[in-house]
Amino acid sequence: MSYSFRAAVIVAGLALAISAQAAKHPERVTKLASVPVASADIDLAHNLDSVGEERLQAVVDRFNKENGNLIKLVRQAEGGKPASLNLIRRYDLAEVLSQPKSYIPLYGMMAKAGYPLKVGDLSSDLKAGVVDAKGRLVALPLIYSTPVLFFNKIALRKAKLDPEISPKTWFEMQGMLDKIQEAGYACPYTSSWPVWVHIDNVGSLSGVPAMSEKGELTFNGLPQVKHVAMMATWVKSGYYRNFGRRDEASAKFKSGECAMITTDSREIVDFRDIKGVELGVAPLPFHDDIFGGRQHTMADGASLWAGAGYSKAQYKQAAKFIAYLLTPEMQIELVRAYGQLPLTPAARAAARSKLLKDDDRTLQVAYASIDGKGALPSVRVANIDPIRIIVNEELEAVWANKKPAKEALDMAVERGNAVLRARPDLKKAQPF
C-alpha cells in the first residue's frame, strides 16, 4: 500500500469518526473538530522594508529548496502572538521586553531540538543584548553592524581634498566640511539614527557610556555636552543637516545631496552601487582631547527570537534553520545581502577571502571600530523606545537653537531616568 493511499484511508477514517461522534454527541463537535493538527511548518515574522524582505525571502527560499521543509515569511502583527521565529530590529526590541512570556530562550530551544549552540564560537563583541547573566544565547544577533563614516569621494575632489584621506577626529572633519560647503554642497554632512550614533556611540568612543552598569542614564557628561554643542555650531553653519530620527538621511546621501553620512556599516549594501557617488568608508571620528584616546564603538542590529507555545516539531525546524544561518556559506550570503558583521571567526575568515573589495574594506573598518569590546554596555539608549523619543526631542531642540547642549542633555537624562524608575523593566537588555 502506497504512503499516499494509506494517508487517504486515515483521513477518511478520521472523517467517519467525527461524523459518528457528531450524531451521538452534537455538543462535542466543535471541540473535536477544532483540535489542531501538528505541523512542522513555521512562520518567520519580520517588519523589514520591501528591499529587506526580498533579501530575506531569497535566504528562506534557498533553505526551503535545500532542506525540503517549509518556512514562510510573514509580517509582524503588533501586539499579536509572536511567530515561531521573529526578526526583531534594534528599535523594535521594546516589543520583546513587553511580552516576556511570549518568547523562549534560544539556547533552550536549540538544545532540545538537537542543535546545541556553541556560544564560544560567536564573536564576543556581537553578543550585546542577546545573552543572559550566565552568558547563554537567548537570541541570534543576525544583522549586527556598527556606525561608520561613509563619504562621497567626488565631493572631496570638488572641494580640493584628498579623497583617500578621511577625517580621524571631529575637529579634522569640521575643516573638511567647510571646504565641501564652499564647493557648493548645501548638505556637507548628515546622520541616520542620531541617538545611536551621537549619544550611544560617541559616548562609547570617548570611554563614557551613555548608560551605567546599574541602568542609570549618564550621557550628560562633559564629552557628550561638548560633542552636542559642536554639532549645534555645525547646524548653524550649515555643515550638518538633520533629516529624521531613523534612516531618512541615508536617502539624502544616496541621492548625492549630502557628501558625508554617519550610519550603520551594513548600509554598504545600499550604497555600493549608487550612481553619482564614489564611495569611501572610515571609522566614526572621535574627540582627541578626551582622556584615554579613542575607545570603541558598539555593535547592534536585528536579532532572531523564538516565540513560545509551538510544537516540538516546529522548534526542531526553527533550530535547523538557525544552524543553517550560522554556516560560513550562509554567513557570507548574509554579509552580501545585509552587510552584517559575520558572527563567527570562521565566517569572518571566509568573508575576507570571498567578498568584494569595497565590502571587505567596510567590514575591516567595522571590526577595527568595535575592537572586541562592542558588547558593553548591553543596554543602549537607542534601544529603549520612550528614552530614545525623549533624547530625540531634546537634540532637536538644540538643532532648532531653542536650548543649549548642556540644558538639553541634562533634561534628557532627568526625564529618561524618571521613566526608568517608573519602568525598571526597560533597563533589561532581554526579557529572561
Side-chain angles (χ1 to χ4, degrees):
M1 186 184 295
S2 70
Y3 173 81
S4 58
F5 181 74
R6 286 199 305 270
V9 171
I10 291 171
V11 171
L14 180 60
L16 288 173
I18 291 175
S19 298
Q21 288 293 322
K24 294 181 180 179
H25 305 284
E27 75 282 356
R28 298 182 187 175
V29 171
T30 300
K31 290 184 179 180
L32 185 60
S34 64
V35 174
V37 178
S39 171
D41 298 347
I42 66 171
D43 289 340
L44 170 53
H46 70 95
N47 62 354
L48 300 172
D49 60 19
S50 58
V51 176
E53 181 177 24
E54 183 180 344
R55 293 166 179 165
L56 184 58
Q57 184 67 62
V59 173
V60 169
D61 288 345
R62 180 172 170 179
F63 174 81
N64 288 339
K65 182 179 180 181
E66 293 181 11
N67 292 274
N69 295 308
L70 183 61
I71 293 179
K72 180 182 177 183
L73 278 192
V74 298
R75 305 296 300 186
Q76 285 172 355
E78 187 174 350
K81 178 184 176 181
S84 306
L85 289 175
N86 306 269
L87 186 63
I88 308 294
R89 296 189 297 179
R90 175 174 69 232
Y91 278 21
D92 300 315
L93 188 58
E95 183 78 7
V96 176
L97 296 176
S98 66
Q99 303 181 63
K101 294 183 180 180
S102 297
Y103 297 87
I104 61 172
L106 189 66
Y107 68 86
M109 184 197 79
M110 297 294 285
K112 290 179 181 178
Y115 294 91
L117 282 170
K118 296 180 180 179
V119 181
D121 289 347
L122 269 67
S123 300
S124 61
D125 40 32
L126 302 179
K127 297 177 184 176
V130 292
V131 292
D132 63 12
K134 295 182 179 180
R136 298 173 298 189
L137 205 65
V138 299
L140 186 69
L142 190 58
I143 309 176
Y144 268 33
S145 61
T146 195
V148 296
L149 172 69
F150 289 107
F151 54 92
N152 186 351
K153 294 182 179 181
I154 294 174
L156 268 61
R157 289 194 189 96
K158 287 183 179 179
K160 295 182 170 50
L161 295 166
D162 188 335
E164 303 305 322
I165 299 178
S166 55
K168 292 182 174 61
T169 69
W170 294 106
F171 182 75
E172 290 178 8
M173 184 167 164
Q174 178 171 301
M176 296 177 70
L177 296 178
D178 184 62
K179 292 182 179 180
I180 291 170
Q181 186 184 61
E182 288 180 356
Y185 281 83
C187 175
Y189 165 61
T190 189
S191 184
S192 287
W193 319 109
V195 174
W196 171 235
V197 174
H198 294 286
I199 298 298
D200 281 314
N201 277 279
V202 166
S204 181
L205 271 176
S206 301
V208 282
M211 180 177 283
S212 71
E213 292 182 1
K214 295 182 179 180
E216 295 179 345
L217 301 174
T218 57
F219 57 82
N220 58 338
L222 182 60
Q224 293 98 329
V225 170
K226 287 179 64 176
H227 179 77
V228 173
M230 176 203 72
M231 295 285 292
T233 66
W234 287 11
V235 172
K236 293 176 184 176
S237 302
Y239 297 158
Y240 172 72
R241 291 190 61 188
N242 182 57
F243 293 102
R245 299 178 176 184
R246 298 174 77 94
D247 61 351
E248 297 88 346
S250 297
K252 301 296 183 178
F253 180 76
K254 289 173 69 175
S255 70
E257 179 179 343
C258 297
M260 291 185 168
I261 184 171
T262 45
T263 187
D264 285 325
S265 58
R266 61 177 171 77
E267 292 223 47
I268 177 63
V269 298
D270 298 315
F271 292 163
R272 65 162 74 107
D273 296 323
I274 50 181
K275 296 180 179 179
V277 174
E278 186 180 340
L279 195 63
V281 61
L284 196 68
F286 71 105
H287 293 284
D288 59 353
D289 58 349
I290 301 298
F291 178 78
R294 182 189 178 90
Q295 300 297 308
H296 59 84
T297 56
M298 297 183 287
D300 208 341
S303 44
L304 203 58
W305 297 77
Y310 291 91
S311 69
K312 183 177 180 180
Q314 288 171 311
Y315 284 135
K316 189 167 185 176
Q317 173 80 308
K320 187 175 183 180
F321 180 64
I322 288 173
Y324 177 77
L325 294 177
L326 285 171
T327 62
E329 294 77 16
M330 283 311 301
Q331 284 290 295
I332 291 174
E333 288 302 314
L334 291 171
V335 171
R336 286 186 176 129
Y338 293 103
Q340 77 162 43
L341 294 171
L343 299 184
T344 66
R348 191 183 304 188
R352 286 196 186 104
S353 64
K354 294 185 179 181
L355 290 179
L356 299 175
K357 184 177 180 181
D358 285 346
D359 292 7
D360 188 45
R361 168 65 179 159
T362 301
L363 286 176
Q364 289 178 15
V365 168
Y367 271 116
S369 295
I370 56 179
D371 193 25
K373 301 177 183 177
L376 300 173
S378 60
V379 180
R380 286 83 192 274
V381 175
N383 291 4
I384 309 174
D385 283 350
I387 308 300
R388 185 181 66 254
I389 291 170
I390 288 171
V391 179
N392 270 313
E393 290 173 353
E394 296 296 338
L395 286 178
E396 288 162 7
V398 176
W399 309 153
N401 201 27
K402 294 179 179 178
K403 286 184 180 181
K406 179 166 175 43
E407 179 184 341
L409 292 184
D410 284 348
M411 181 57 68
V413 166
E414 181 181 335
R415 293 172 62 192
N417 279 328
V419 171
L420 293 179
R421 285 192 293 271
R423 294 275 311 277
D425 58 301
L426 293 175
K427 298 180 184 181
K428 299 171 64 177
Q430 43 88 13
F432 310 114

